Amino acid sequence: MFDTEFLDIPALRSVSGTVRLPGSKSISNRVLLLAALCEGRTTVHDLLDSDDTRVMLQALRQLGCSVTVEGATAVINGLGSRPRQPQADLFLGNAGTAMRPLTAALAVLGGDYTLSGIPRMHERPIGDLVNALRAVGCRVDYLGQEGYPPLRIGQPQLRLGQPIPVRGDVSSQFLTALLMALPLAAQTQDVVVDVVGELISKPYIDITLQLLARFGVQVRRENWARFVIPAGSRYQSPGQIHVEADASSASYFIAAGALSAPPEGQKGLKIEGVGETSIQGDIRFVEAARMMGAEIQSGPNWLHVRRGQWPLKAIDLDCNHIPDAAMTLAVMALYADGPTTLRNIASWRVKETDRIAAMATELRKLGAEVEEGADFIRVMPLPDAGAWRAASIHTYDDHRMAMCGSLAAFNPAGLPVRIEDPKCVAKTFPDYLETLFAIAQPAGAVPVICIDGPTASGKGTLASEVARRLGYHYLDSGSLYRLTGLAARRAQLEPDPCNEAAISALAQSLPVRFVADRILLGDEDVSDAIRTEAAGMDASCVSALPSVRQSLLNLQHGFACLPGLVADGRDMGTTIFPQAALKVYLTAGAAQRAERRHKQLISKGIPANINSLRADLEARDARDQSRTASPLKPAQDALLLDNSQLTVEESVDQVLRWWQERQPFRTS
């Protein structure tokens, strides 16, 4: 997951291959709560790992539920009809799929509980659910603003003889919460829930009804207006249950496939984990995407997407049945042949943010004309490349704004798009951006920043931190030569010219990976083994062998992948990446470098003499500057950075300032 202030996505051309989707958030949290309300053990397979499911799991543990999670499988030992902890303070983040059902279930069961979340959760209305619960004798008090969390729940005095009214035109989660909680009280009589007004998001209620049936409760539905929970209802564990992949998450990849400009012979994108037979209402996004021109085939658990009509066809659509996935249509509308209108989406305004206002604001940044109303949005397309603008997309701590925003990278102008606070995707799809990058082809060169400089100038520390701040990949080119030297020693090859051909063959296929601050050769962590003085000498020897350098050239080029690369090394900007977007050359003097190296060695308990270190560094500089192959020197277009008197943070800030100056957008 990208835990950075922002992430710049280069212009994308197409997607291809296969993507496997994570489990559905809506199903995952419903299943977790239903499993907790059962007697006995339930094993949940393919569970989504996200912020929302984590807060639900933590809440269940606080209530005394035994929960074990291993990978995508959770084992829940149910509470039955009573939480083992009658008092708890539950923090539920911004997870509506946890806040609303837990409020209802705990209000019916009774106890001493507080339910709170992040500030945005305290702006999301819950009054209609609380009113319904109070009508049947539940004790629910507001701890802040009337009608909104945080809440305190006490002991109920249930009165279930009359139908329970609940509004259906604000959020379907209110009705879902009641339907999941009331079987706990339907012991001796039917319990009836009447929907007041039009019920929105009916497909989400259908998910709830189907899952209730899996757990032994058959709710009778009368025309989406009345729901009857039979007397004697009791939750029963299904033993094993699998969570479908998330149909809402599928929408972004369906859109990406429809927006792709595939080269001849490309087979499109296969999406695994969900098909058109899904119980999730958002699977009907497939119908909308087809209306806009996407070519989509489907099997029992997969979809296959490719570009069809181009530009996409504008639509005018009632989106009540796909409220979450409809957001993706708003971005697809930028690529259409006329204005697209999405109607009946008032629920957008009470989600993680006011999504109608947020979407309108961000699409305008991209250059679009947008009209918004109380329950609709109309998006005018951007008809040619010149109409597009590079934009920094504010995400409002809303995962869907970030994922939708990424689709602007397919713009025909070849402009990058900046996603602010990319980690917000963790709410439902923590690896969304990594998944997108794995199947995407860039429209141009992947951005590369080169950090060059002499030995012990701090280029590795600087480059790795710049990479971390930008969310880019990192290449320590010096380690490649050290790794080659290590591989040569293990193969009993002296690192000298007589073994050049054999060492070159080893270098061609080094199985190297950079993971956090560790360097792996295959599955072995060799970070410490290649940092010895002897390994450094071997690296200098093998780096002087022309065919070894050529073998490592292609290997290094392979590190330039989405979303970008920061590479450090003595010839990064001159030989390896001569077209890099930014080249920085460090010019720290030998005295300062020797002092740094001395402190580093002493801190590790290694005795060292500062004068000897300085002499060694000066000798290495002379050797590197005079070598025939790629002598040490700054690229002609490199920016010089004397970091002799700078801290690492100051050096990083300077490089990032230079980088920002080269971008078509600025942070707001």
Side-chain angles (χ1 to χ4, degrees):
M1 183 178 67
F2 289 94
D3 187 11
T4 55
E5 180 183 348
F6 60 83
L7 180 69
D8 293 342
I9 303 178
L12 302 178
R13 186 177 190 277
S14 60
V15 292
S16 62
T18 301
V19 60
R20 178 79 186 184
L21 297 175
S24 161
K25 175 192 71 171
S26 298
I27 296 177
S28 290
N29 266 357
R30 284 168 170 81
V31 165
L32 288 176
L33 182 55
L34 291 173
L37 297 176
C38 289
E39 297 281 0
R41 176 177 296 180
T42 303
T43 301
V44 183
H45 300 282
D46 304 320
L47 181 70
L48 172 66
D49 178 19
S50 73
D51 288 350
D52 279 21
T53 53
R54 290 184 197 124
V55 298
M56 176 64 89
L57 287 166
Q58 177 59 27
L60 297 181
R61 292 186 178 104
Q62 288 181 254
L63 295 170
C65 188
S66 171
V67 178
T68 58
V69 179
E70 184 172 345
T73 299
V75 178
I76 313 293
N77 289 301
L79 298 168
S81 60
R82 182 64 50 189
R84 295 187 180 90
Q85 296 296 331
Q87 187 280 330
D89 296 325
L90 305 179
F91 178 80
L92 302 173
N94 199 14
T97 57
M99 174 65 77
R100 277 73 179 266
L102 277 169
T103 294
L106 294 176
V108 169
L109 292 172
D112 181 10
Y113 304 107
T114 60
L115 286 75
S116 63
I118 66 170
R120 173 58 187 170
M121 176 58 80
H122 297 170
E123 297 172 351
R124 299 177 67 179
I126 200 170
D128 293 318
L129 175 60
V130 172
N131 289 342
L133 291 169
R134 286 175 170 176
V136 297
C138 292
R139 176 71 182 272
V140 185
D141 298 319
Y142 297 111
L143 298 179
Q145 183 180 359
E146 190 83 5
Y148 299 87
L151 306 172
R152 179 177 294 280
I153 292 172
Q155 291 291 344
Q157 293 182 338
L158 295 177
R159 304 181 300 272
L160 301 172
Q162 298 297 318
I164 304 163
V166 62
R167 283 182 61 183
D169 57 353
V170 176
S171 173
S172 64
Q173 289 181 1
F174 300 157
L175 177 57
T176 278
L178 290 173
L179 293 176
M180 294 175 68
L182 291 172
L184 300 170
Q187 304 303 315
T188 60
Q189 64 187 90
D190 290 354
V191 178
V192 178
V193 180
D194 283 346
V195 177
V196 179
E198 180 189 4
L199 177 60
I200 65 172
S201 307
K202 295 182 181 69
Y204 284 103
I205 300 302
D206 197 42
I207 291 174
T208 302
L209 297 178
Q210 292 195 51
L211 291 176
L212 287 170
R214 290 290 307 276
F215 282 84
V217 175
Q218 300 287 342
V219 176
R220 298 197 303 273
R221 175 177 65 81
E222 300 176 8
N223 298 321
W224 300 105
R226 169 167 286 195
F227 296 82
V228 180
I229 301 167
S233 293
R234 184 179 182 85
Y235 283 126
Q236 300 173 13
S237 171
Q240 309 271 336
I241 190 167
H242 289 260
V243 176
E244 277 189 3
D246 188 44
S248 302
S249 295
S251 71
Y252 312 114
F253 295 101
I254 293 170
L259 299 176
S260 288
E264 185 177 352
Q266 192 175 74
K267 297 181 179 179
L269 178 68
K270 186 175 184 181
I271 302 167
E272 294 183 342
V274 66
E276 284 190 89
T277 59
S278 167
I279 68 171
Q280 299 168 73
D282 270 349
I283 197 61
R284 293 183 63 188
F285 178 86
V286 170
E287 300 169 10
R290 284 180 177 140
M291 290 171 61
M292 296 190 78
E295 291 187 3
I296 305 174
Q297 297 174 301
S298 177
N301 205 37
W302 56 265
L303 301 166
H304 188 273
V305 190
R306 68 179 73 192
R307 179 194 279 197
Q309 178 173 324
W310 194 260
L312 295 175
K313 183 176 176 58
I315 59 174
D316 188 321
L317 185 66
D318 183 324
C319 296
N320 180 264
H321 60 298
I322 52 169
D324 287 337
M327 293 179 68
T328 311
L329 297 175
V331 183
M332 293 175 69
L334 299 174
Y335 303 86
D337 59 5
T340 288
T341 304
L342 309 178
R343 303 183 186 277
N344 206 0
I345 54 171
S347 64
W348 283 23
R349 293 202 181 273
V350 294
K351 295 289 188 174
E352 283 79 347
T353 188
D354 180 341
R355 286 175 170 170
I356 294 181
M359 185 64 74
T361 298
E362 303 312 310
L363 294 184
R364 289 179 185 128
K365 289 182 183 178
L366 293 164
E369 294 182 20
V370 184
E371 179 185 355
E372 61 170 292
D375 66 347
F376 77 90
I377 190 169
R378 181 174 295 111
V379 181
M380 312 301 169
L382 296 172
D384 54 60
W388 286 81
R389 295 200 296 262
S392 182
I393 304 297
H394 187 60
T395 52
Y396 308 85
D397 195 26
D398 186 339
H399 56 130
R400 300 206 186 282
M401 288 299 299
M403 292 186 277
C404 286
S406 70
L407 298 173
F410 290 92
N411 68 83
L415 295 170
V417 61
R418 173 167 292 177
I419 303 298
E420 299 173 13
D421 188 28
K423 67 179 179 296
C424 68
V425 301
K427 182 175 175 66
T428 53
F429 199 159
D431 298 328
Y432 168 75
L433 290 160
E434 292 90 338
T435 303
L436 175 63
F437 294 148
I439 58 170
Q441 292 79 47
V446 171
V448 176
I449 299 173
C450 292
I451 311 289
D452 291 8
T455 297
S457 59
K459 57 185 178 291
T461 301
L462 174 59
S464 62
E465 180 60 16
V466 169
R468 188 192 68 79
R469 293 272 294 272
L470 291 174
Y472 282 6
H473 300 283
Y474 169 58
L475 168 60
D476 174 2
S477 71
S479 72
L480 297 182
Y481 292 98
R482 290 172 176 264
L483 287 162
T484 302
L486 177 65
R489 288 289 183 189
R490 290 180 173 182
Q492 299 183 336
L493 297 170
E494 286 291 325
D496 55 42
C498 67
N499 291 318
E500 182 173 352
I503 296 172
S504 177
L506 284 175
Q508 287 178 2
S509 56
L510 281 176
V512 59
R513 291 183 294 141
F514 298 96
V515 180
D517 61 345
R518 311 306 294 171
I519 300 172
L520 303 182
L521 187 62
D523 293 327
E524 180 186 358
D525 186 341
V526 295
S527 306
D528 297 330
I530 65 170
R531 293 305 178 193
T532 64
E533 290 297 309
M537 295 302 296
D538 284 348
S540 292
C541 292
V542 298
S543 68
L545 303 176
S547 64
V548 172
R549 299 187 67 83
Q550 185 59 45
S551 292
L552 290 177
L553 181 63
N554 290 337
L555 184 66
Q556 292 175 91
H557 285 164
F559 281 90
C561 52
L562 292 168
L565 174 69
V566 181
D568 89 69
R570 299 178 199 172
D571 53 5
M572 285 293 99
T574 54
T575 303
I576 310 301
F577 297 107
Q579 303 304 317
L582 174 63
K583 302 172 187 176
V584 177
Y585 189 86
L586 304 182
T587 62
Q592 288 82 10
R593 289 185 283 135
E595 183 178 348
R596 291 173 183 169
R597 177 62 61 85
H598 183 260
K599 289 180 179 178
Q600 182 184 50
L601 293 173
I602 294 300
S603 69
K604 295 180 179 180
I606 302 173
N609 181 280
I610 193 168
N611 293 325
S612 297
L613 290 172
R614 178 172 178 174
D616 179 60
L617 289 173
E618 290 173 338
R620 285 198 187 188
D621 289 349
R623 185 167 61 248
D624 291 339
Q625 291 166 0
S626 62
R627 69 191 181 198
T628 303
S630 301
L632 175 63
K633 63 179 182 179
Q636 288 186 343
D637 54 348
L639 299 179
L640 303 183
L641 177 60
D642 186 344
N643 67 347
S644 301
Q645 305 302 320
L646 298 179
T647 65
V648 172
E649 185 66 23
E650 290 170 337
S651 297
V652 170
D653 287 344
Q654 179 59 69
V655 173
L656 291 177
R657 280 194 295 271
W658 284 335
W659 183 244
Q660 292 281 35
E661 291 169 0
R662 285 161 165 73
Q663 306 313 306
F665 35 65
R666 299 288 184 268
T667 51
S668 55

